[in-house]
Amino acid sequence: MLQLVEANQHYGMDADWEWETLLPASGFQLDPTDKQQHFISVHHQIFCLNTLRKLYMNPGWEDDIKKQDRAHHCLNVLRQAVLCNGDTTLEPSHLELHSDGKEVAAASGMDVLHICRNWEELKTLPLSKDDSIIIHHSSAS
């Protein structure tokens, strides 16, 4: 699906309520007899983006040790997501003036057509083993 990623005012640094609408209330169980919860990776990735946003906006949100552990975990989750789902869309650049006075090429990624999954469909995936979706399971090797 082609999707235009537009620059807009949504999901800003102070938009707690908008970020919360992107996340499901909880995980789900593949087997009703097993208490282990599962999460779809995209929801974990959104959770991590939101967590990093909160850590940046609210420096006293968590103690320093927990903050470092949480930030490290989330950066690794997002690094993995980018490496697994690398978007090869070409983004036009513009010149940007840095604080050292040098002009460098920079890209925003906004107002560019990207090939994306349908987010509306991802938000409504059936979340039980009995429903007809394919859930990719990976195993450590």
Side-chain angles (χ1 to χ4, degrees):
M1 165 179 149
L2 283 177
Q3 179 176 334
L4 181 63
V5 178
E6 299 176 284
N8 61 48
Q9 300 303 315
H10 294 285
Y11 306 104
M13 295 302 282
D14 291 321
D16 290 342
W17 67 273
E18 278 188 306
W19 282 92
E20 296 301 325
T21 66
L22 296 173
L23 297 169
S26 67
F28 62 98
Q29 294 170 268
L30 291 176
D31 179 351
T33 63
D34 183 3
K35 294 193 186 307
Q36 183 178 17
Q37 296 251 324
H38 293 79
F39 297 91
I40 295 174
S41 288
V42 70
H43 294 147
H44 189 186
Q45 295 154 10
I46 295 284
F47 172 83
C48 277
L49 280 174
N50 191 31
T51 296
L52 292 172
R53 178 190 66 85
K54 287 179 181 180
L55 288 171
Y56 180 80
M57 292 302 292
N58 305 303
W61 183 51
E62 292 189 0
D63 65 71
D64 286 340
I65 298 297
K66 190 171 185 179
K67 183 191 309 183
Q68 280 186 335
D69 290 346
R70 179 81 50 107
H72 182 253
H73 164 81
C74 283
L75 287 171
N76 274 316
V77 165
L78 296 172
R79 178 183 54 81
Q80 177 186 20
V82 169
L83 292 174
C84 288
N85 303 294
D87 183 350
T88 58
T89 301
L90 295 177
E91 299 178 349
S93 67
H94 60 276
L95 290 179
E96 189 173 271
L97 186 62
H98 277 211
S99 59
D100 63 4
K102 292 182 183 177
E103 282 190 332
V104 296
S108 72
M110 299 297 160
D111 299 320
V112 177
L113 281 176
H114 293 260
I115 298 175
C116 302
R117 291 185 185 231
N118 184 328
W119 175 248
E120 294 304 316
E121 286 179 12
L122 287 174
K123 287 192 327 189
T124 60
L125 279 176
L127 298 179
S128 75
K129 186 178 179 180
D130 297 331
D131 290 316
S132 59
I133 64 168
I134 297 171
I135 300 173
H136 176 74
H137 297 277
S138 61
S139 58
S141 43

